[in-house]
Amino acid sequence: MLVIVSVSRLDNERIEVGVARPQHDSNRTHNYPSEKEVRAVLAGFGISEEKIDSHLKLLAQMGAGEQLKFSPMDVTQNALLHRGFRL
């Protein structure tokens, strides 16, 4: 399934991961207390450690509520469901 994955830092220092289907109203988010958990979710979607590192380093320099998006990618529905993202 083609999706766009995004990350943003919340006011309470948690990190939100969003998954959206382009040109659909389907958009789900979950937030996590640690960067370690976010890394596991993103890696489970097939995102490389290099891309995860660069996005999380940039996210640390941004303000709360600002969002970074990864390039659109194919993620299996099983991988999404396994991590709680029902689109």
Side-chain angles (χ1 to χ4, degrees), residues 20-28 87:
R21 290 183 62 193
Q23 300 179 356
H24 289 82
D25 290 334
S26 299
N27 184 17
R28 298 290 184 264
L87 296 176

Side-chain angles (χ1 to χ4, degrees), residues 38-66:
V38 171
R39 287 178 178 279
V41 169
L42 297 176
F45 292 159
I47 301 173
S48 72
E49 285 297 320
E50 182 179 289
K51 286 183 181 178
I52 294 170
D53 286 343
S54 68
H55 275 63
L56 292 180
K57 283 179 186 175
L58 186 55
L59 187 65
Q61 299 170 18
M62 298 170 62
E66 293 184 78

Side-chain angles (χ1 to χ4, degrees), residues 1-7 17-23 26-28 42 45 47 67-75 80 85 87:
M1 175 181 312
L2 184 65
V3 296
I4 298 173
V5 178
S6 62
V7 291
V17 175
V19 177
R21 290 183 62 193
Q23 300 179 356
S26 299
N27 184 17
R28 298 290 184 264
L42 297 176
F45 292 159
I47 301 173
Q67 185 181 69
L68 286 174
K69 293 181 180 179
F70 291 89
S71 299
M73 64 187 79
D74 276 319
V75 179
L80 293 169
F85 290 89
L87 296 176

